[in-house]
Amino acid sequence: MGLNGCCSCVKYLMVLINILFWLIGLTIVLTSLWMLTDPTFMLSMTQSYNHYHIALYVFLAIGILITLGAFFGCLGVCRESQCMLVSFFCVILIVMVAQIAAGAWAFHNRNKLDDMVRAAVKSSVQEEYGQSSMSSRTVTFDTLQKNLKCCGADGPGDWATSRFNNVDRTNIVDIAVSSMNVLYNIPESCCKEDIKDNECDKWRNLKFGGPLNTYIYQQGCVDKLIEIIYENWVTIFAITAAVILLELLSLTFALSLCCAMRNQHYKA
């Protein structure tokens, strides 16, 4: 005997909500896989290489859980199965707790964002760029400099003490002293778009502490990257809050249907 009355309306709402969850989960999974496989994704520069991939795998796991929860929810509603609805409840509850914890951590550390991004970008410039073991990082940073029209972390001078110029980073004091009167190269991606390749090769050879020419980008990438993050900060939190509210609503509906099914079972 099927549910009727208000419970019937709740069933249809649950199906609609689970379709939305399925779309959200699938979007998260596809986005995570894209970010994992696309070396030019600029947001990877906001964290260290390992931390970025750990965050993506967590993001991917959340997407899979949401998709799995949507499957349990739809199946539980269509078959009026308490077991499936309880499974849906548990999966969505785990996802919601994880989202709230991540949101709380991000809000608590929002003032440290500048330092985190600056440290990650600085590390990419001085330690990772141009290294054979970090080729994906090199491609990403070239894309970042071209798209944001910037050079280095705080400016072109960052490249003077970079491994890209074969500088030994094991002794920072020696670097500071020995770099004062040397020439250094900057990547081709620091050259402005309207500069020809042969001209770029000429102008990307700079002297440490000397004046910068007008053929290369002179602003660092950190400030531009942080600006992009802050511009999307409110949107990210708004979307997350909306999803959490939707999850709370679905949990309430799931409990209501479970209670209705149990009462119907006892009456039968």
Side-chain angles (χ1 to χ4, degrees), residues 1 3 7 80-83 85-86 254-268:
M1 183 177 176
L3 297 173
C7 290
E80 296 187 4
S81 168
Q82 292 185 56
C83 180
L85 286 175
V86 170
L255 284 177
S256 300
L257 289 174
C258 279
C259 291
M261 290 174 189
R262 179 172 295 181
N263 290 336
Q264 187 183 60
H265 175 73
Y266 287 145
K267 287 179 182 179

Side-chain angles (χ1 to χ4, degrees), residues 44 46-58 105 116 120 137:
S44 65
T46 62
Q47 293 292 322
S48 67
Y49 188 79
N50 290 332
H51 289 173
Y52 174 70
H53 279 81
I54 291 172
L56 282 185
Y57 284 124
V58 172
W105 180 88
M116 292 169 62
R137 209 65 165 168

Side-chain angles (χ1 to χ4, degrees), residues 47 98-114 116 229-230 233 236-237 240:
Q47 293 292 322
Q99 288 172 335
I100 293 174
W105 180 88
F107 183 79
H108 178 71
N109 291 279
R110 67 191 186 281
N111 294 327
K112 300 178 182 178
L113 178 64
D114 291 26
M116 292 169 62
I229 295 172
Y230 276 127
W233 199 251
I236 293 171
F237 270 102
T240 303

Side-chain angles (χ1 to χ4, degrees), residues 34-45:
W34 171 38
M35 293 171 72
L36 281 168
T37 55
D38 185 2
T40 64
F41 208 86
M42 292 191 296
L43 281 181
S44 65
M45 302 310 303

